[in-house]
Each structure stands twice: as structure tokens, then as C-alpha cells.
């Protein structure tokens, strides 16, 4: 498994996809035909359900469906993996998010993360958005990891694991084109004049992105290319020159 750095998260949270229960759940989901078959047969779209979870403020049952327009809240030691259309999500413990409807009932237009963390894989198509208290990311078909740091004033950690993303925080705007992990902090207040700052790669792994991509018949950029880059979270920065790499540009505010 790829090396990973933890910050405020446990090893068990980051390696959830290695558990036998998760592997069995993914196998069953795929064997039953994935999203298309589930939608046609009006079956639930939850791949894995662990612990205490609220759906729209009420205790959720494993056989229930997460639909666009719903709000999900996970408790301590809980997690939820679900699929909507061509997008797959893993909601970590102590998280609260809402899933807003796009052009159709089975299309996600906005994922609003209020607290906690979520790993997301989106297929190519119309723009989708991830929103937190301090950062907004326009998704163009990509895999991303998003975490709200409640103990840091709602500071957001955001990694464009692969794909194209428009990022906004405060008065800063940036475009990220990544094939292997470009990470940012979305600051609640400007630091050294910036609301968007480079970050190290923390709290997520290649394998969990691959796990989610497989649920919706996709592969990550590094799987397609057959090679990986440097997972230091700063591949888009020239640290010595202090300038942006062409893959990540930030217009003058």
C-alpha cells in the first residue's frame, strides 16, 4: 500500500478499504450489477454501512437509499459508502454533509461538507461542486479528498487526487490540473496574504480512490497511465522560485 501521513485521523480510518467487510461489500455491489442495475431494480445504493448514521435527522437503516437532496451525518466510529449515478462517496466518522440534486434525480450537483471528511470520485460530465465553510471546488470529473478541520476554525484540507478542479477560498481563485495529488489549504483568514495555500498529502491513500473508482466502473489517472507521481502534495509549486507550476494557476486577486 502507498505510504500515507496522518494528521488527526487514525490508521483504521484511512485503511478502511482493506477490511474484509468492505471488500465483501464492494464485491457484492459489483456482482449485482452496480449502479445501473440497482437503479433499474429500485434497490438501495449503499455499498457499506458501519455504525450510527443519521439520514435527514433520523436513524438510518442499511437498506435505505441516499438520494440527492438528503443530508447524512455519521457518528463516532461510523462510515458510509454509497453511489449516486457515476459518483461514489466514502463519508468518514463524525461527518455531516448534504447531497444536492443536479440535472436529474441521479446526478449530484453539490456536495456540501459541513464537518468531517469525505472521499469522492466523480465521472466526467457537467460541473459539480464541493463546498465547505472555507473552500469551494468546481469538479470536472476527478477524484478528491475533502476534510474540514473543526479544531482549526473550519480550515479546509482539499486534495485534487486526479482531474481538473477550480478552487476558491476567500478572495483567491486557482485552477488545478492533476494526475497525482495536488493538495491545498482553504484558510478561514488570509495567511501571508493568501487564502489558498499549498499542503502536504495527508489522511488518504491511492488505494481508497481506486476502491471507489471501481464501484462506478472507473480507473484513477495513475491506473490508466501505469505510473504515479510524487505524493508530496506540492507538485504544483516551485518552492525555490515561489511560483506556481503551470498545472496550478492563481490569477491576481
Amino acid at each position: 500500500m502507498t505510504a500515507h501521513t496522518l494528521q488527526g485521523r487514525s490508521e483504521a480510518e484511512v485503511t478502511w478499504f482493506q477490511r474484509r467487510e468492505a471488500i465483501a461489500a464492494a464485491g457484492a455491489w459489483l456482482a449485482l450489477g452496480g449502479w445501473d442495475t440497482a437503479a433499474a431494480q429500485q434497490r438501495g445504493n449503499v455499498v457499506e454501512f458501519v455504525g450510527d448514521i443519521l439520514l435527514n435527522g433520523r436513524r438510518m437503516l442499511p437498506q435505505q437509499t441516499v438520494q440527492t437532496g438528503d443530508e447524512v451525518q455519521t457518528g463516532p466510529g461510523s462510515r458510509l459508502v454509497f453511489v449516486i449515478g457515476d459518483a461514489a462517496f466514502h463519508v468518514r466518522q463524525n461527518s455531516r454533509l448534504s447531497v444536492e440534486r443536479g440535472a436529474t434525480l441521479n446526478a449530484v450537483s453539490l456536495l456540501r461538507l459541513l464537518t468531517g471528511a469525505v472521499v469522492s470520485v466523480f465521472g466526467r460530465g457537467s460541473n459539480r461542486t464541493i463546498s465547505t465553510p472555507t473552500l469551494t471546488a468546481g469538479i470536472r470529473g476527478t477524484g478528491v479528498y475533502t476534510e474540514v478541520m473543526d479544531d482549526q476554525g473550519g480550515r479546509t484540507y482539499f486534495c485534487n487526487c486526479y482531474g481538473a478542479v477550480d478552487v476558491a477560498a476567500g478572495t483567491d481563485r486557482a485552477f488545478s490540473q492533476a494526475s497525482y495529488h495536488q493538495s491545498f489549504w482553504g484558510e478561514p483568514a488570509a495567511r501571508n496574504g493568501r487564502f489558498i495555500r499549498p499542503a502536504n498529502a495527508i489522511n488518504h491513500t491511492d488505494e481508497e480512490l481506486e476502491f471507489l473508482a471501481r464501484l462506478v466502473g472507473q480507473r484513477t489517472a495513475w491506473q490508466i497511465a501505469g505510473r504515479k507521481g510524487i505524493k508530496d502534495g506540492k507538485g504544483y509549486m516551485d518552492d525555490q522560485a515561489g511560483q506556481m507550476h503551470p498545472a496550478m494557476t492563481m490569477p491576481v486577486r
Side-chain angles (χ1 to χ4, degrees):
M1 190 177 73
T2 53
H4 53 274
T5 301
L6 298 178
Q7 183 174 320
R9 293 278 165 181
S10 69
E11 183 76 12
E13 284 184 86
V14 176
T15 58
W16 60 273
F17 56 88
Q18 292 183 323
R19 294 177 178 270
R20 286 179 296 177
E21 296 86 350
I23 295 171
W29 170 261
L30 293 170
L32 289 172
W35 167 259
D36 290 339
T37 303
Q41 297 179 353
Q42 297 184 332
R43 289 190 286 105
N45 62 342
V46 172
V47 178
E48 190 185 27
F49 181 109
V50 176
D52 294 325
I53 300 169
L54 300 180
L55 180 64
N56 300 321
R58 296 184 178 182
R59 187 172 298 279
M60 185 177 179
L61 301 176
Q63 64 269 25
Q64 286 186 274
T65 297
V66 180
Q67 298 179 321
T68 51
D70 285 344
E71 181 180 275
V72 173
Q73 187 169 357
T74 57
S78 302
R79 66 177 183 273
L80 182 69
V81 180
F82 65 95
V83 172
I84 297 179
D86 64 352
F89 307 96
H90 169 236
V91 187
R92 295 212 172 138
Q93 68 171 341
N94 299 321
S95 299
R96 182 182 175 190
L97 62 84
S98 60
V99 184
E100 299 190 14
R101 180 174 176 173
T104 68
L105 181 63
N106 297 326
V108 177
S109 66
L110 172 65
L111 195 69
R112 191 183 303 277
L113 181 66
L114 301 177
T115 60
V118 59
V119 191
S120 313
V121 168
F122 296 89
R124 295 187 180 277
S126 58
N127 288 358
R128 278 68 59 91
T129 302
I130 293 179
S131 174
T132 77
T134 59
L135 180 142
T136 301
I139 306 298
R140 306 185 189 181
T142 184
V144 301
Y145 174 69
T146 314
E147 182 171 351
V148 176
M149 304 293 187
D150 292 329
D151 60 347
Q152 299 181 40
R155 187 187 197 201
T156 297
Y157 173 81
F158 179 82
C159 182
N160 176 18
C161 305
Y162 61 92
V165 178
D166 293 299
V167 184
T171 56
D172 286 348
R173 303 290 183 272
F175 171 72
S176 169
Q177 178 74 49
S179 58
Y180 195 68
H181 302 288
Q182 292 181 357
S183 305
F184 313 88
W185 288 112
E187 304 287 0
R191 294 192 181 190
N192 297 324
R194 289 295 183 186
F195 288 90
I196 299 176
R197 294 165 52 81
N200 293 319
I202 62 171
N203 295 349
H204 66 294
T205 69
D206 296 350
E207 288 82 2
E208 60 185 328
L209 271 297
E210 294 167 8
F211 183 103
L212 292 176
R214 182 168 172 253
L215 295 179
V216 286
Q218 300 176 32
R219 294 193 298 161
T220 66
W222 55 86
Q223 287 178 304
I224 294 171
R227 57 186 173 81
K228 299 180 179 182
I230 300 173
K231 190 177 181 182
D232 63 358
K234 297 181 181 179
Y236 59 92
M237 295 290 290
D238 182 336
D239 292 328
Q240 292 182 345
Q243 297 177 349
M244 296 293 178
H245 186 278
M248 190 277 191
T249 58
M250 186 182 295
V252 177
R253 294 176 293 162

